[in-house]
Amino acid sequence: VSAACVMSKDESNAAAIAAAASSVTLQVCKSIDLEDPLLTLVSDGFKDASLVDTKAGACVSLTKACRRVVESCPADENTQDLDYVLCEVVSAIWDDQCWKGHWGNGAGKASDVSGRCPIRRILSDARSGLSYGDAASNRRYFRNFGRLMTQATMLQDETRTGTYQKAISLNKADFQGKVVMDVGSGTGMLAFFAIQAGAARVYCVEASPMVEVIRELAQRNNCADRIVVVHHVLQDIRDEVPEKVDVITHETLGTFLFAERGIETVLVARDRFLKPGGKLYPAQATFSLAPFEDAAAYKSRMVKAANLWTCTNFHGMDLSSMETRSQLEFFRRPLSDQFHPDILRGDAQTYVYDFRTLNLEEVRNFTLDFTFTAKATCLLHGLAGWFDAHFEGSSCSIILSTSPWDTLTHWWMTRLMMLEPLAVNKGQPVTGSIGFSPCEGNTYQCRLIMECNGVSREINGLDLADIDTASRAQQNKIVQITPTKKVGMIDWEATRAAPSGDEVLVSDPLREAKTAAMVSEASVRAATSTATSSMAAAGTCEYGAQIRMNDGLYMNVDNPELLSWAVQQPQAFHSPVASLNGTTLMRPKDDARGYVLQTSGANAAPRIWMQLELALKLMREFVQHHSNPPALQVDKLDQESLVRTYVAMKRAAAGDCCCFELGADSVALAAAAA
């Protein structure tokens, strides 16, 4: 009842504000002899109460009204004439005492309408959501994303692609029979996931040459009749999408979350094409910031910056006056690599961006303030950042994380480094801000300020599009994609940052949310498919079955000693981390053990699920020990062959046969033994 009353009051205030604005608008239009179609467009825009945002304030509300007018205006209308009309209307509304009174008395925003009318900012922000960058920047941007090589890097990011597919497939109720829009479709993979989940039709909005790839893949996979390719920047769409959609899928999140300014495009898509109550996948993002100390990285950058520009006799010329400029150029480039959580020196501060309610103006020019408490006496070198994307479906929630506690993704992680470190003592407050200003190249320039104990450090001009990737150190792997073809790709799971050796002082701020999401996911899987966990109804379990948890793949193995100890030591385990087919998964307090215990249930005995690498190692040791002759060819077995051989030998061992011979064709041997 209380919430309903608040909503009713907000709606009443919005209606009164819109009525006052409409009255002023009609007076202005009459005084300048404005005629249709502009007369109708302008009057409709300023009388719409749904565009009044009493929480965001007067400027945002006027911006939304102006944007509605500009958006609805015919393409052949003179832009200068339209701007003149909007200037007259907005200025008159701003000076109207009745309109101001409703903002002050009803909405409690009197300070919002004091002072001069920010007409230039209102009109600039109104047009900002209706275009995506300048022509030159767009050509460079879409040329890059029009390459299959660029798309392959994103698709082969198993965490990214797998999480999107999982979020869509486990929430089929949101897609079955629905109309979907995929914003920034790329190769169309998210659209194809939606089709797999039963979508009736998907609009693939893509401005790059990838539209040809979408069409070809749709034809190849027999779904071309449900794919509608829209070859435009979303902001330029007019009649190509003739209907509202039920769901918007998008993967327009950039480095440091904001780098490519893709969030603005999603908000425009939401406002123009999403039905009331429609779904966004993902629905929101959590942006995290934490101070860090990394003397090695700082020293490396200083050395690189000084490499040439400290020279006092370069072919007879003194270059040393350029040293400071060179250092500034290096440090203005955000460091994009991977780091271990043990370099963080303060609890992460989080900022939630809900794409369902976020205003465009909130991600145009904005500043994030922060306050940390130093957890160690140290030299702070800057600010580290990452994000988590939240999929909130009707059936379950899924989180895609780029944090230093999770598997690395193609976004990597980002650090803004100061030219001069900031000395702090344990327990001292560290305050500051990071400002984001849009710039050419469809990105932002940032300004970082950090202060402690009266000392301030600042660096400006940090370009989120000009990242420093020199320190990335990735692991690679060979994957068999067909019986005759192998492909090399980055092994994101195996690429891990080396610990610095310092104590880990900071924990994942979203740890509880991720645990809840895992439990939600496991519950849906259990309800929809008893085969997901590869468990037999009778309670037996195929060794080698796999489940995915937030930190990677786990495999079922036979380890009687460990299982016996785990069952007898319940106090050695944390609270439940997930549920699976009516049972509970428990992680030991000593995470270094690399396994989880599945408690017994109605149809299942206790089991050990071990991290994939450790499980394969245990299997190799078992096969090596029980083979005849020992150690012959075991290292040459691929994962599938190893698992099948291990399962066959376990079954044979249960029948009192202790040894197997490993011949040339171990797969055939394992199959025969089984």
Side-chain angles (χ1 to χ4, degrees):
V1 174
S2 175
C5 291
V6 172
M7 181 61 70
S8 176
K9 181 181 177 182
D10 286 343
E11 289 175 348
S12 176
N13 288 334
I17 291 168
S22 177
S23 176
V24 175
T25 302
L26 290 174
Q27 294 175 28
V28 172
C29 291
K30 184 178 180 180
S31 69
I32 61 176
D33 296 324
L34 190 65
E35 298 178 350
D36 276 332
L38 272 186
L39 175 60
T40 301
L41 292 176
V42 174
S43 59
D44 286 351
F46 286 93
K47 74 178 182 183
D48 189 345
S50 70
L51 300 178
V52 177
D53 191 332
T54 55
K55 291 184 173 62
C59 287
V60 169
S61 299
L62 288 174
T63 299
K64 287 183 174 182
C66 290
R67 183 179 296 122
R68 173 67 61 81
V69 174
V70 175
E71 183 178 64
S72 306
C73 194
D76 57 354
E77 187 65 45
N78 187 292
T79 303
Q80 289 184 337
D81 289 347
L82 180 60
D83 283 349
Y84 164 72
V85 173
L86 291 176
C87 282
E88 290 290 326
V89 170
V90 171
S91 297
I93 292 174
W94 191 271
D95 292 335
D96 183 70
Q97 293 305 311
C98 179
W99 181 81
K100 283 189 173 184
H102 289 305
W103 276 109
N105 300 327
K109 295 274 188 177
S111 60
D112 271 23
V113 292
S114 61
R116 297 179 59 185
C117 175
I119 184 68
R120 178 177 295 180
R121 191 182 97 199
I122 289 172
L123 292 184
S124 174
D125 286 352
R127 290 191 178 279
S128 71
L130 302 176
S131 63
Y132 183 69
D134 57 272
S137 297
N138 283 350
R139 280 195 298 273
R140 289 193 298 270
Y141 180 82
F142 291 117
R143 184 168 60 243
N144 177 46
F145 282 95
R147 297 188 178 105
L148 284 174
M149 183 180 295
T150 303
Q151 296 293 330
T153 300
M154 294 187 289
L155 292 176
Q156 290 170 353
D157 177 352
E158 294 153 2
T159 297
R160 168 197 176 271
T161 306
T163 301
Y164 269 91
Q165 184 177 37
K166 182 167 57 177
I168 293 171
S169 65
L170 293 180
N171 289 287
K172 287 187 177 181
D174 292 339
F175 292 88
Q176 285 179 334
K178 301 298 176 64
V179 179
V180 180
M181 173 179 282
D182 183 24
V183 176
S185 198
T187 58
M189 196 57 61
L190 304 190
F192 300 138
F193 292 161
I195 294 294
Q196 290 172 354
R201 182 166 51 261
V202 183
Y203 290 96
C204 297
V205 181
E206 177 57 43
S208 82
M210 279 293 113
V211 291
E212 301 165 12
V213 174
I214 298 174
R215 292 190 182 103
E216 187 171 333
L217 290 178
Q219 193 71 40
R220 176 81 174 184
N221 290 275
N222 302 315
C223 57
D225 58 329
R226 289 189 282 170
I227 294 290
V228 180
V229 177
V230 182
H231 191 194
H232 284 288
V233 173
L234 183 128
Q235 288 85 341
D236 294 341
I237 293 175
R238 291 296 176 260
D239 303 322
E240 294 82 3
V241 182
E243 60 183 326
K244 296 284 188 178
V245 302
D246 301 290
V247 185
I248 291 177
T249 60
H250 62 96
E251 198 285 78
T252 57
L253 308 176
T255 302
F256 213 53
L257 182 60
F258 304 103
E260 297 164 15
R261 294 181 61 187
I263 292 176
E264 296 173 57
T265 300
V266 174
L267 301 185
V268 173
R270 176 202 66 191
D271 292 342
R272 290 184 58 188
F273 299 109
L274 188 62
K275 292 178 181 178
K279 295 284 188 179
L280 283 160
Y281 274 70
Q284 68 179 40
T286 300
F287 184 49
S288 300
L289 295 172
F292 74 91
E293 177 187 23
D294 192 339
Y298 177 80
K299 182 179 179 181
S300 173
R301 299 192 99 184
M302 291 296 284
V303 169
K304 291 176 182 176
N307 190 32
L308 174 66
W309 303 108
T310 55
C311 185
T312 57
N313 185 12
F314 183 77
H315 296 274
M317 297 294 294
D318 184 355
L319 306 181
S320 59
S321 61
M322 292 295 103
E323 181 179 3
T324 301
R325 183 186 182 99
S326 174
Q327 291 172 346
L328 192 57
E329 282 186 5
F330 261 92
F331 281 79
R332 276 179 171 165
R333 301 182 67 196
L335 194 57
S336 178
D337 60 0
Q338 187 183 25
F339 57 83
H340 195 278
D342 64 6
I343 71 167
L344 302 179
R345 295 294 178 262
D347 287 332
Q349 192 159 323
T350 59
Y351 310 81
V352 177
Y353 291 86
D354 191 329
F355 305 138
R356 295 162 293 195
T357 58
L358 188 66
N359 287 310
L360 266 170
E361 294 70 34
E362 295 177 74
V363 288
R364 182 158 169 77
N365 278 292
F366 62 102
T367 299
L368 302 179
D369 298 316
F370 53 76
T371 300
F372 305 108
T373 299
K375 291 207 160 189
T377 298
C378 62
L379 290 176
L380 294 181
H381 292 102
L383 204 61
W386 60 90
F387 68 87
D388 298 84
H390 303 255
F391 299 84
E392 299 182 2
S394 299
S395 300
C396 71
S397 298
I398 304 290
I399 296 178
L400 167 57
S401 183
T402 68
S403 84
W405 291 273
D406 293 282
T407 301
L408 183 64
T409 69
H410 81 283
W411 285 285
W412 293 80
M413 301 161 200
T414 306
R415 288 182 284 173
L416 308 182
M417 191 173 283
M418 298 178 296
L419 191 56
E420 186 177 356
L422 178 66
V424 299
N425 292 319
K426 183 178 180 180
Q428 285 184 326
V430 179
T431 60
S433 64
I434 175 171
F436 294 78
S437 300
C439 61
E440 65 177 17
N442 304 330
T443 188
Y444 293 92
Q445 281 197 347
C446 296
R447 178 188 183 192
L448 173 62
I449 301 173
M450 298 183 75
E451 300 178 353
C452 183
N453 200 29
V455 178
S456 178
R457 297 284 183 262
E458 177 180 339
I459 184 166
N460 203 355
L462 294 151
D463 190 336
L464 295 185
D466 185 23
I467 56 176
D468 180 0
T469 63
S471 57
R472 290 180 179 178
Q474 66 211 35
Q475 300 294 319
N476 296 300
K477 63 181 179 180
I478 303 297
V479 178
Q480 189 92 35
I481 58 172
T482 73
T484 58
K485 291 184 180 179
K486 296 181 179 180
V487 63
M489 62 178 67
I490 298 174
D491 191 337
W492 299 105
E493 176 69 31
T495 302
R496 300 179 181 273
S500 69
D502 293 337
E503 179 186 359
V504 177
L505 304 172
V506 178
S507 60
D508 186 351
L510 295 189
R511 180 172 181 174
E512 291 184 6
K514 291 173 182 176
T515 299
M518 282 193 294
V519 172
S520 170
E521 176 192 342
S523 298
V524 171
R525 289 187 183 279
T528 57
S529 175
T530 57
T532 302
S533 64
S534 299
M535 292 182 183
T540 60
C541 180
E542 274 303 335
Y543 298 125
Q546 297 180 30
I547 58 172
R548 177 176 289 279
M549 295 185 63
N550 201 50
D551 57 345
L553 287 172
Y554 283 69
M555 180 176 283
N556 180 246
V557 294
D558 182 29
N559 193 323
E561 295 81 7
L562 182 58
L563 181 61
S564 176
W565 176 87
V567 171
Q568 296 174 30
Q569 302 290 330
Q571 71 278 4
F573 290 82
H574 282 300
S575 57
V577 295
S579 61
L580 189 62
N581 287 8
T583 65
T584 302
L585 296 177
M586 310 277 287
R587 189 185 300 278
K589 293 179 180 179
D590 180 7
D591 285 340
R593 290 180 177 268
Y595 72 92
V596 293
L597 169 68
Q598 180 184 358
T599 59
S600 58
N603 294 316
R607 297 179 179 89
I608 292 294
W609 295 87
M610 189 171 287
Q611 286 181 353
L612 183 60
E613 293 178 6
L614 295 176
L616 295 177
K617 179 182 178 183
L618 182 145
M619 289 182 175
R620 286 193 179 91
E621 291 174 351
F622 179 85
V623 172
Q624 184 178 35
H625 180 71
H626 291 83
S627 61
N628 184 22
L632 182 62
Q633 302 185 38
V634 174
D635 292 337
K636 295 182 179 180
L637 297 180
D638 60 24
Q639 180 175 318
E640 181 182 359
S641 302
L642 174 63
V643 170
R644 293 174 69 179
T645 303
Y646 174 83
V647 170
M649 293 177 73
K650 276 290 179 180
R651 288 177 174 174
D656 296 324
C657 178
C658 61
C659 291
F660 266 78
E661 290 190 8
L662 288 180
D665 190 351
S666 61
V667 176
L669 170 65

